[in-house]
Amino acid sequence: MKLSIKKTDRRHTGSDIFEYVIDVQQEAIGRRTQRIIDFIEIREWCWNIFGPSCEREHWLYLLKFNQPHNTRWCWHTDFGNFKIYIKDEKEANWFRLKWLS
């Protein structure tokens, strides 16, 4: 499993809300199926640890009406991306302990 966790910046939609983005990357050509399975496993872990959430575009839409679904995390899977956005350092540390140690 190839993962990166970085601080968000203005290039990331939602960077004013989520401090970190986790990118589930493809390890090698032809490994797309494993990448999808890895992403689903990480998303399920986030769901169990941080509570239910939704796609980033839906999350941001709900925020417009002052009804954010979950303030701790969301995910984004558009255009071949497999990303999870997390709120702050606390969630980032939980993630690092589980997936990067």
Side-chain angles (χ1 to χ4, degrees):
M1 186 178 314
K2 187 174 179 185
L3 304 171
S4 71
I5 183 167
K6 303 181 238 185
K7 281 202 167 240
T8 57
D9 58 34
R10 291 174 49 191
R11 293 174 295 167
H12 300 95
T13 303
S15 63
D16 54 331
I17 299 157
F18 297 103
E19 285 185 39
Y20 290 88
V21 62
I22 300 158
D23 190 6
V24 180
Q25 302 163 349
Q26 193 164 320
E27 290 186 46
I29 295 172
R31 301 274 302 172
R32 181 178 171 162
T33 301
Q34 187 59 49
R35 180 182 182 207
I36 293 168
I37 292 167
D38 293 344
F39 175 78
I40 291 168
E41 183 180 353
I42 293 167
R43 187 177 63 185
E44 184 176 319
W45 178 82
C46 289
W47 190 286
N48 291 328
I49 298 299
F50 306 133
S53 194
C54 59
E55 282 276 356
R56 184 187 67 190
E57 67 186 80
H58 303 306
W59 196 98
L60 293 170
Y61 177 81
L62 291 170
L63 182 63
K64 286 181 186 180
F65 299 99
N66 247 356
Q67 297 180 9
H69 184 66
N70 181 325
T71 59
R72 297 173 76 188
W73 77 289
C74 67
W75 67 85
H76 176 65
T77 57
D78 224 358
F79 303 111
N81 292 304
F82 292 88
K83 297 180 188 267
I84 294 176
Y85 287 79
I86 52 179
K87 179 71 175 166
D88 57 28
E89 187 70 29
K90 179 181 173 184
E91 284 81 7
N93 287 335
W94 282 29
F95 178 83
R96 286 184 190 106
L97 282 171
K98 170 67 179 173
W99 298 100
L100 300 177
S101 338

